[in-house]
Amino acid sequence: MTVISNPDVEFDSGAAAEVDSDLVARQSLAARLARARTSEQVAAIAVEHGLNTFGASLARVAILDDRGVFTFVGDALHEEYGSFSLHGGDPAVEAFQSQRPRFWTQFDDFALAHPRAARALRPLAVRSIALLPMFADGDPAGVWFLGFPTTQRFSATERVALAHAALEVAIALERSRLYEFERSVATELQRSLLPPPVLIEGAGHCSRYIAAVSSLTIGGDWYDTMRLANGRIGLAVGDAVGRGLRAATVMGQLRSALGACALRAADAADTIDCLDEFASNIADATSSSVAYAIVDPVGGSVEYCCAGHPPPLCAAPDGRTWFLDQAQMRPLGFRSGDHRRLARSDFPAGSVILLYSDGLVERRGRSLDDGLEALASAVAQRVTLPIDHLADAVLDELLATSDRTDDVTLLVLRSPVSTPNMLLRKTHATPEALAPLRCDVRAWMRAAEIPEPAATSLLVAVGEACMNAVQHAYTSEMHPMLRVEASRVGDEVVVNVTDTGTWKAQSPRSRGGRGIDIMRKLATDVTVQRRVSGTTVTFREHIGAAP
Amino acid sequence: MTADLCAIEEQRRDEIVVLWLRGEIDLSNAGAIETQVLARVEGEPRPRAVVLDLNEVEYLDSAALAAIERLTRRTRLHLVLAPTAVMHRTIMIAGLPHLTPVHDTVPEAVAAAADVD
């Protein structure tokens, strides 16, 4: 039918050839639509099909969402096409209401019936027009608009073919809508299940969760941080089997169970034994994995236990790295008499520990050992960086050249430290905490031999960032924390201020706006990064070599 | 806390009050310092001008700067801040000299304050 490879050829020539090409066209449309996930992808395929297969010079799909709002997806051979609208009282709406496709062989007929729409279309030199309202199971899904550069007669066969194509697109739109709904529920569930970070005193930690690139469903990655007795901190990263809503549900159950087990258990292995028992009673939880570590910042040690999960990585301030791989055992949920193994390691002040999901180190065509080695080397090079920067840099390096099919979770913790190269202080975000914090930063600046007047300017700028964090922390219901990290590598000084609350939008004249202004004038390089978990302000200064 | 962070000493020279601030002013004590200064500004006998010596202030944040800014609207305020003062750059950057005169020394500030009719 309307396969116009050459615009000069009228299309009712050669009935047999038409049938074949029609069949091919429909099959290719169906095949392509089957791979589309989002409604935008469906619409883009329809638009492309309209242009390339039906020979339209103007193709556009208006997707109707649940709220009755149109989203336009389209492409055309003309830039002016953007001015064409499907809104209010126009032919598309009419076609929608009548629930029947409309065809105009002559543009003049169209112009007579719809002068406004015709005005917008006239410069595009469209000869014939087809408007295809799309319904899936009787529910409106969208409108498909096609404008042709040559006169089309729209024979009965052609009309049926266009209507068939429209039905295929409508069904695909409906499918994508269900899919998007499930994804939004799953994403929402996962977000609600993952904890807000930075609520632990005595150490600085940050987390990253990155969804898979090639898939829209969420994975089963989860993480948690727990305050335990005697200032110890429990850290967990786990991976529930499967994807989507089921994985999200299992992940939530495992995380809650681990939290409960951790409070009662004697040690890390005991905790995982307890979680094992829980998991063996949930069918979908079998084969899920978890790495669990308990950090003791005061004693400078860490104990851990891994169930089918890649080993956590530690790095000392001097760049030495080691994997916590002496307690690797089976995944969760397999009933077995033997208890989990427990292992311990040193964790000197200022060390970092990284827990992660396999998505970070596993890559098609590369061994796991190579992946672990790449991780260790990426961390070793950046061990003195503030942890947010460490996390981002490691993710950047490891995920740069990958066809990521899995989601990735990374949890980083550093114990408090103050050495000439590195400072980490964490405190409650209250006005009274500001002066003691400044005292620590000053002492560090002296130890790091940062000369005046750079030191004072940096101190005031950092102080402003801390003050901002405190002022805006009051809006949060939790007990917000404030983390200051500083490092000096050669002539480079990096100071990072992180808070757990999100900064409110500020007008430039407000007090907060003034503070930011001062901050920017005093420091050479200031970046503000807002995340769901809070705000990070980073100062970078290049100072003269130490005297 | 206020006492720990910042001390205020007062001297009266005729109708001019000189306040000598020593320490740090931040979000935690800016309000209290402002109140204490205001008590002197608006007490009897009412001073003609107030000289605020900031040479020994070791830290100021924008909460403190905002408090000083508000004080300039309540009284004739003269600031003392030598180029060698720790907070010199911060106060210059904040633009306080546009709002109120800044002098290097207390005698200069007092002389300037007394000169004004």
Side-chain angles (χ1 to χ4, degrees):
Chain A
M1 56 133 265
T2 0
V3 181
I4 311 175
S5 50
N6 177 350
D8 295 326
V9 177
E10 289 284 300
F11 39 68
D12 28 10
S13 60
E18 275 169 32
V19 171
D20 281 345
S21 58
D22 181 25
L23 197 65
V24 170
R26 268 173 55 196
Q27 277 178 344
S28 91
L29 177 63
R32 295 182 61 205
L33 287 172
R35 288 195 293 271
R37 287 278 169 85
T38 66
S39 51
E40 273 80 9
Q41 288 169 347
V42 170
I45 290 168
V47 164
E48 210 243 288
H49 194 77
L51 294 176
N52 295 342
T53 308
F54 291 151
S57 58
L58 180 60
R60 191 167 207 190
V61 171
I63 307 162
L64 189 66
D65 70 15
D66 294 336
R67 297 160 298 162
V69 178
F70 280 115
T71 306
F72 298 96
V73 174
D75 192 11
L77 307 176
H78 308 272
E79 284 178 12
E80 300 88 337
Y81 135 93
S83 63
F84 179 72
S85 154
L86 289 178
H87 280 299
D90 80 10
V93 176
E94 208 181 280
F96 226 154
Q97 282 160 351
S98 68
Q99 304 200 10
R100 297 162 66 102
R102 301 288 307 273
F103 303 95
W104 290 273
T105 297
Q106 302 295 334
F107 184 79
D108 288 346
D109 294 340
F110 176 81
L112 214 60
H114 303 286
R116 239 185 76 206
R119 261 201 303 281
L121 284 175
R122 201 176 289 278
L124 308 183
V126 165
R127 294 271 184 83
S128 302
I129 289 167
L131 263 178
L132 309 163
M134 296 184 285
F135 291 86
D137 283 339
D139 289 330
V143 183
W144 194 1
F145 177 92
L146 295 167
F148 297 89
T150 54
T151 305
Q152 309 288 309
R153 294 200 189 125
F154 297 118
S155 70
T157 332
E158 289 157 15
R159 290 178 187 218
V160 168
L162 284 168
H164 266 296
L167 184 63
E168 303 238 27
V169 175
I171 290 166
L173 279 176
E174 183 65 14
R175 196 173 52 223
S176 72
R177 198 179 293 176
L178 289 173
Y179 186 81
E180 282 166 358
F181 176 70
E182 190 196 336
R183 178 170 164 77
S184 74
V185 171
T187 307
E188 190 51 46
L189 190 59
Q190 182 165 44
R191 191 171 295 146
S192 68
L193 289 169
L194 292 176
V198 209
L199 289 174
I200 290 179
E201 279 184 81
H205 62 105
C206 69
S207 54
R208 298 285 183 271
Y209 171 76
I210 301 172
V213 171
S214 52
S215 164
L216 283 173
T217 58
I218 63 155
D221 278 9
W222 59 274
Y223 61 87
D224 204 359
T225 50
M226 286 151 279
R227 244 177 300 210
L228 302 174
N230 304 322
R232 293 174 313 143
I233 299 154
L235 301 169
V237 167
D239 193 354
V241 177
R243 308 187 72 80
L245 271 177
R246 267 173 58 174
T249 310
V250 170
M251 155 191 129
Q253 287 173 302
L254 289 178
R255 187 180 155 243
S256 304
L258 179 71
C261 291
L263 289 178
R264 286 295 183 87
D267 56 38
D270 197 20
T271 309
I272 300 306
D273 273 334
C274 167
L275 187 64
D276 231 356
E277 209 176 316
F278 177 85
S280 64
N281 290 315
I282 303 173
D284 289 342
T286 304
S287 287
S288 290
S289 71
V290 65
Y292 181 56
I294 300 175
V295 173
D296 180 358
V298 181
S301 67
V302 57
E303 61 174 60
Y304 60 95
C305 179
C306 287
H309 204 90
L313 175 71
C314 288
D318 61 8
R320 187 173 52 97
T321 60
W322 66 101
F323 281 99
L324 303 184
D325 55 4
Q326 300 303 306
Q328 297 294 117
M329 282 179 85
R330 63 185 183 277
L332 294 172
F334 296 102
R335 286 177 196 279
S336 159
D338 53 336
H339 286 289
R340 293 280 171 180
R341 222 176 2 253
L342 178 75
R344 285 197 176 83
S345 164
D346 282 347
F347 194 68
S351 298
V352 287
I353 178 169
L354 291 90
L355 283 79
Y356 51 89
S357 61
D358 51 8
L360 185 66
V361 289
E362 276 180 2
R363 204 73 67 242
R364 215 171 288 144
R366 188 178 75 178
S367 75
L368 179 62
D369 281 347
D370 288 348
L372 294 176
E373 200 175 300
L375 172 65
S377 129
V379 172
Q381 289 164 34
R382 304 174 173 87
V383 72
T384 55
L385 283 182
I387 51 174
D388 278 301
H389 297 267
L390 177 70
D392 290 338
V394 165
L395 288 175
D396 278 354
E397 181 168 322
L398 268 68
L399 304 181
T401 55
S402 77
D403 47 339
R404 226 157 15 81
T405 52
D406 204 355
D407 44 352
V408 173
T409 297
L410 176 63
L411 183 60
V412 182
L413 176 138
R414 173 178 282 145
S415 60
V417 65
S418 185
T419 67
N421 292 330
M422 201 175 12
L423 170 81
L424 186 146
R425 279 285 172 270
K426 195 164 166 196
T427 173
H428 287 283
T430 61
E432 290 69 35
L434 291 172
L437 197 58
R438 270 201 306 279
C439 189
D440 289 342
V441 174
R442 264 199 197 102
W444 178 77
M445 284 173 161
R446 274 195 300 273
E449 298 181 330
I450 299 169
E452 290 293 351
T456 297
S457 293
L458 191 56
L459 179 80
V460 174
V462 169
E464 280 302 321
C466 293
M467 190 196 92
N468 246 308
V470 168
Q471 280 188 316
H472 298 288
Y474 288 119
T475 58
S476 165
E477 281 176 33
M478 299 174 299
H479 300 294
M481 305 286 294
L482 170 63
R483 185 177 78 230
V484 175
E485 278 177 283
S487 71
R488 173 170 184 167
V489 182
D491 294 346
E492 278 284 305
V493 177
V494 181
V495 185
N496 217 47
V497 178
T498 304
D499 71 83
T500 59
T502 42
W503 280 13
K504 288 181 289 188
Q506 291 159 348
S507 74
R509 286 177 191 202
S510 74
R511 224 158 82 166
R514 186 212 186 120
I516 289 171
D517 192 43
I518 291 173
M519 207 162 81
R520 292 199 185 276
K521 282 178 178 158
L522 281 172
T524 318
D525 181 352
V526 187
T527 53
V528 179
Q529 199 170 14
R530 293 178 175 83
R531 304 177 202 276
V532 185
S533 55
T535 305
T536 296
V537 184
T538 305
F539 302 90
R540 286 174 204 275
E541 290 294 328
H542 189 82
I543 54 170
Chain B
M1 198 72 212
T2 304
D4 295 338
L5 262 189
C6 183
I8 304 182
E9 269 177 54
E10 180 184 348
Q11 274 185 343
R12 273 191 104 92
R13 299 189 184 173
D14 301 323
E15 292 164 284
I16 294 160
V17 170
V18 179
L19 297 175
W20 182 35
L21 303 184
R22 260 182 313 163
E24 306 185 338
I25 313 174
D26 68 9
L27 182 65
S28 69
N29 65 344
I33 298 287
E34 187 181 355
T35 308
Q36 288 177 42
V37 174
L38 266 181
R40 275 116 167 158
V41 165
E42 293 176 344
E44 295 298 332
R46 216 179 173 82
R48 252 177 73 188
V50 173
V51 171
L52 213 54
D53 183 349
L54 302 175
N55 272 334
E56 294 196 31
V57 172
E58 279 153 24
Y59 183 83
L60 280 170
D61 66 10
S62 59
L65 292 164
I68 297 172
E69 216 176 281
R70 281 192 296 274
L71 287 171
T72 64
R73 293 196 287 268
R74 302 289 284 269
T75 182
R76 278 210 188 102
L77 193 68
H78 289 257
L79 300 181
V80 177
L81 187 75
T84 50
V86 180
M87 284 297 110
H88 187 263
R89 187 164 176 228
T90 302
I91 285 172
M92 291 297 142
I93 275 174
L96 279 187
H98 297 297
L99 297 174
T100 195
V102 178
H103 314 272
D104 284 3
T105 64
V106 171
E108 282 172 40
V110 171
D115 263 359
V116 181
D117 290 328

